Amino acid sequence: MTELSDREAELVSAHEQERPARHLGGALRLGVWIVGGLLSVYSLVVVFRPVEALEHRMTFLAVALPLVFLCYRSGLSSWVSRLRREPAMVAAADEAGPPAGARTERPTVADWLLAAAALAVLVYPLADIDAFRDRGSGAALTGLDIVAGLALTVLLLEAVRRTVGWALTIICLIFLIYAYYGAYLPIDWTIGHRGFDLAQIVSQLYTGTEGFFGVPMQVAASYIVLFTIYGAVLDFSGASRFFIDLSFAAFRNSRSAPGRTVTTAGFLLGTVSGSGVATTVSLGSVAWPVLRRAGYPKEPAGGILAAGGIGAILSPPTLGAAAFIIAEYLRVSYLEVLLYATIPTILYYLGIFLAIEVDSRRFGTHAVPVDAPKAGKLLLRFGYHFSSLILIIVLMALDRSAFQSVVIATAVAFALSFLDPRHRMTPKRVGQALAKGTLEVLPVTAVCAAAGIIVGVITQTGLGLNLSAIIVDFAAGNLILTTVMSGLAVMLLGLAVPVTASFIIAAVIIGPALTTLGVSQAEAYMFVFYYAVLSEVSPPTALSAVAAAAITGGNTYKTMMMTWRYTLPAFLVPFAFVLTPNGQALLGQGPIGTVLLMAAVSAVAVAALAMATGGLTGVPERLLAAVAAVLLLFLEPVPIAAGLAVLAVAAGVHLVRRRRRNPS
């Protein structure tokens, strides 16, 4: 993002789940940035000179994990004081460090020891990776192997606690206890198993690609770091400023222009930042004064900011970290995942735009003159910033891998930066972008490695299939009830852990429950993905909404509810592609005619939702519109016809009631 002020940095630190908490200075800061930059260079080189999977993931973690202990404070002394905060703030806040510009900090002796231990236990197997792998596959681990594996487990748990809090740490511990003591569960319990000793657990987690170094770690060490480097290069080359200016220039002269501007800017900034909270804060610092001058109350303005910010995780071409994991789990290209997300993204933003249009009339907002160049002039001068984004899609369509595509796009963004003298990528900027690429991926790296504990235990014990069977049995084999339970479970999980972790856990437990009932893997994973992301705008935590409320000064809970209203289509559309046979069309699957028709019907359903939640119509019309929206989202001929009829009745009732109020 653009350079944050002290206040903005403090807000991001307080409300983001994945943000650094320690401000290093002097030679140590330079050293950390050099190491981070070198890890980024390694990640770029590996794209064209591949390294064996286990070796690559272990090497990446061997550099990233020590950096976690140096860049993140333990935060134990602040835990008691944090419990005294407002409950919503406690749920949303991370171990918040001082704002930018505050005094620098140095790692403690304990931090250095932990960093050294992390390096040792990861370099140790790299000394002879083939022999290490053979010992693991042959169940012939040495005592040193077991000690190193247990030490890495403890270190990862501490790294996760430092970066994203206690919730995921406790969940990982529960899974470890379950793996070790599962044999003591009653024999008639579905989740019971024969039990595993320490050597077996370490072998599963440490010596192969089923645990710490599984698919989540692969995603962190490849997709995520490469796209983060790309976003950093775009940021340093001035793309963030251009996207905001273009959004303000595009919507100038209507009462709904300020709200639409904020939403569009959030979409464009999502290409630079995959963080909903960071996008909300960066956007809010510029857009809140404009929204206030336009006449928006604090809570609706905060809802628009949060809804626009969360779009950073939902929107192609970058999406969030979980989308990369979907590509790996399904063994499809990332381009196909982008295709899955295209129509739901369009419907998401359509819902926001329609809600903004309604609110602009309800609140009596007006256009606000903004000192920005005309859109045409901006596009002619700085439109080249879009070229690297388009290039990613084109290259993947030409069968280039996502890795190679983003690296080439990064090089193009670097070259094009020299068209703007103010933002050309000088050696210093290149170094900063490379370091930023690694340092911003540290929290998600810790999360992905620790998530390997959960995935590894589930694979080793068969827990995933057992739990999915329990879910299906509890729902009596009913797909609708199973889907509702699944959505609630993912949202509740997302209240406690970051999006990436909640997706990984839900994908291996809830995904099989849905596929057992006939849902395709793509539909199941995309359903879980959307509900994992939407936990960031779901009460009672709603991190993006809490950050937006802090910017506008509005009531936190009311801001959450406004955000929920703006994002309502995103909560309902996933049910359509799970529950209905034609739902796969919303993921771009099937004949093009069916895809377009189902997209059009869904767009009408989103419009009906906007009518139902907008407040411009009376209660009868709103109830009818809500019924129409639900019927339309069944995406079958009879329900569609019924939904259109009910919506026509709602429109007719509204016209009659309006004429009675205004007979002239």
Side-chain angles (χ1 to χ4, degrees):
M1 309 302 294
T2 52
E3 190 67 27
L4 299 177
S5 67
D6 290 0
R7 171 61 175 161
E8 292 161 15
E10 184 178 11
L11 284 173
V12 173
S13 181
H15 304 302
E16 175 63 277
Q17 283 182 316
E18 301 174 354
R19 293 295 295 180
R22 176 178 280 143
H23 298 269
L24 304 175
L28 179 58
R29 179 175 181 272
L30 178 62
V32 166
W33 277 60
I34 290 174
V35 173
L38 291 175
L39 183 56
S40 289
V41 171
Y42 165 77
S43 301
L44 294 169
V45 170
V46 165
V47 171
F48 298 99
R49 300 188 64 179
V51 176
E52 189 273 330
L54 180 62
E55 183 178 354
H56 168 56
R57 300 169 196 180
M58 198 173 283
T59 301
F60 188 89
L61 189 61
V63 180
L65 188 57
L67 289 177
V68 169
F69 294 113
L70 299 181
C71 295
Y72 290 75
R73 67 162 76 95
S74 69
L76 291 175
S77 61
S78 66
W79 179 251
V80 175
S81 63
R82 291 177 72 241
L83 294 177
R84 298 173 183 169
R85 298 184 191 176
E86 179 184 347
M89 301 290 284
V90 173
D94 190 19
E95 312 289 353
R103 66 180 180 83
T104 58
E105 303 172 76
R106 299 187 66 83
T108 64
V109 173
D111 295 327
W112 283 107
L113 291 175
L114 290 172
L119 181 64
V121 298
L122 286 161
V123 169
Y124 157 68
L126 286 171
D128 192 347
I129 188 70
D130 293 329
F132 178 76
R133 188 188 297 106
D134 291 341
R135 292 198 299 273
S137 60
L141 295 183
T142 66
L144 186 56
D145 292 334
I146 296 173
V147 170
L150 292 175
L152 181 57
T153 304
V154 173
L155 289 166
L156 284 173
L157 292 175
E158 170 60 10
V160 167
R161 187 196 65 78
R162 290 184 179 217
T163 53
V164 297
W166 282 97
L168 182 57
T169 307
I170 292 172
I171 291 172
C172 290
L173 282 171
I174 291 172
F175 273 87
L176 288 170
I177 292 170
Y178 168 73
Y180 191 76
Y181 289 105
Y184 295 96
L185 293 174
I187 194 169
D188 57 338
W189 282 25
T190 304
I191 62 173
H193 62 85
R194 64 185 179 86
F196 298 91
D197 60 29
L198 291 179
Q200 291 171 313
I201 295 173
V202 167
S203 178
Q204 174 76 359
L205 300 181
Y206 185 42
T207 64
T209 56
E210 296 292 333
F212 304 138
F213 311 108
V215 169
M217 190 62 226
Q218 161 66 11
V219 168
S222 53
Y223 287 102
I224 299 176
V225 69
L226 293 175
F227 274 87
T228 305
I229 295 168
Y230 169 64
V233 171
L234 271 184
D235 185 16
F236 278 100
S237 64
S240 297
R241 183 73 259 171
F242 163 68
F243 292 150
I244 292 175
D245 288 344
L246 180 63
S247 300
F248 277 98
F251 303 106
R252 287 178 175 269
N253 301 313
S254 72
R255 69 171 73 194
S256 59
R260 286 185 288 172
T261 295
V262 171
T263 305
T264 304
F267 169 74
L268 293 174
L269 286 174
T271 62
V272 180
S273 168
S275 163
V277 173
T279 302
T280 298
V281 171
S282 295
L283 191 57
S285 63
V286 178
W288 164 232
V290 177
L291 293 173
R292 181 174 54 204
R293 286 161 52 201
Y296 277 94
K298 295 177 181 178
E299 288 78 14
I304 293 173
L305 290 172
I310 204 66
I313 311 178
L314 293 172
S315 305
T318 51
L319 294 173
F324 302 125
I325 298 176
I326 292 175
E328 289 294 315
Y329 278 169
L330 293 179
R331 298 185 183 278
V332 299
S333 70
Y334 182 60
L335 181 62
E336 191 161 344
V337 177
L338 293 184
L339 179 64
Y340 296 158
T342 299
I343 293 176
T345 298
I346 293 172
L347 296 174
Y348 175 79
Y349 282 102
L350 174 64
I352 297 177
F353 278 127
L354 291 174
I356 288 171
E357 202 67 39
V358 171
D359 281 354
S360 67
R361 288 163 172 74
R362 188 168 64 148
F363 300 127
T365 62
H366 52 81
V368 175
V370 177
D371 184 19
K374 291 185 178 181
K377 183 178 179 181
L378 278 171
L379 284 171
L380 285 174
R381 178 65 184 87
F382 300 108
Y384 59 82
H385 285 300
F386 286 117
S387 59
S388 61
L389 294 169
I390 297 170
L391 183 61
I392 292 176
I393 307 298
V394 171
L395 289 173
M396 287 193 292
L398 295 175
D399 288 332
R400 285 273 191 173
S401 69
F403 311 128
Q404 293 182 354
S405 299
V406 72
V407 172
I408 294 171
T410 302
V412 170
F414 164 79
L416 292 175
S417 72
F418 290 92
L419 295 175
D420 182 2
R422 295 175 304 167
H423 296 100
R424 64 183 58 177
M425 294 298 291
T426 61
K428 180 180 179 181
R429 284 177 176 269
V430 171
Q432 290 174 326
L434 290 173
K436 184 180 180 183
T438 287
L439 297 180
E440 289 199 349
V441 85
L442 292 182
V444 76
T445 299
V447 167
C448 286
I453 295 174
I454 298 169
V455 176
V457 169
I458 287 174
T459 303
Q460 189 173 38
T461 62
L463 178 64
L465 293 176
N466 291 335
L467 286 180
S468 65
I470 291 173
I471 294 172
V472 172
D473 290 343
F474 186 81
N478 183 279
L479 179 58
I480 295 177
L481 184 55
T482 301
T483 306
V484 171
M485 290 172 54
S486 299
L488 291 174
V490 178
M491 285 177 58
L492 290 172
L493 182 62
L495 299 180
V497 299
V499 170
T500 305
S502 63
F503 171 80
I504 294 170
I505 297 170
V508 296
I509 294 176
I510 293 174
L514 294 173
T515 56
T516 298
L517 296 177
V519 178
S520 72
Q521 279 193 314
E523 293 163 348
Y525 283 150
M526 290 302 290
F527 178 87
V528 171
F529 168 69
Y530 279 105
Y531 270 84
V533 171
L534 290 170
S535 65
E536 283 213 7
V537 292
S538 303
T541 53
L543 299 175
S544 293
V546 173
I551 293 171
T552 64
N555 178 276
T556 301
Y557 180 74
K558 290 181 179 179
T559 302
M560 289 180 187
M561 296 312 296
M562 289 301 299
T563 305
W564 183 83
R565 184 171 76 81
Y566 284 123
T567 58
L568 182 60
F571 285 88
L572 296 184
V573 169
F575 279 93
F577 53 69
V578 168
L579 295 177
T580 67
N582 285 327
Q584 63 178 351
L586 297 183
L587 300 179
Q589 307 299 296
I592 185 64
T594 303
V595 170
L596 294 176
L597 177 60
M598 293 303 107
V601 171
S602 299
V604 177
V606 169
L609 284 173
M611 181 178 177
T613 61
L616 282 181
T617 57
V619 174
E621 303 99 293
R622 294 170 70 178
L623 289 175
L624 287 169
V627 172
V630 173
L631 288 172
L632 288 167
L633 286 174
F634 274 97
L635 301 180
E636 291 295 311
V638 173
I640 289 173
L644 291 174
V646 173
L647 185 59
V649 171
V653 170
H654 174 62
L655 290 175
V656 171
R657 286 167 60 90
R658 189 173 69 174
R659 286 179 180 175
R660 287 179 179 176
R661 290 194 302 265
N662 304 293
S664 59

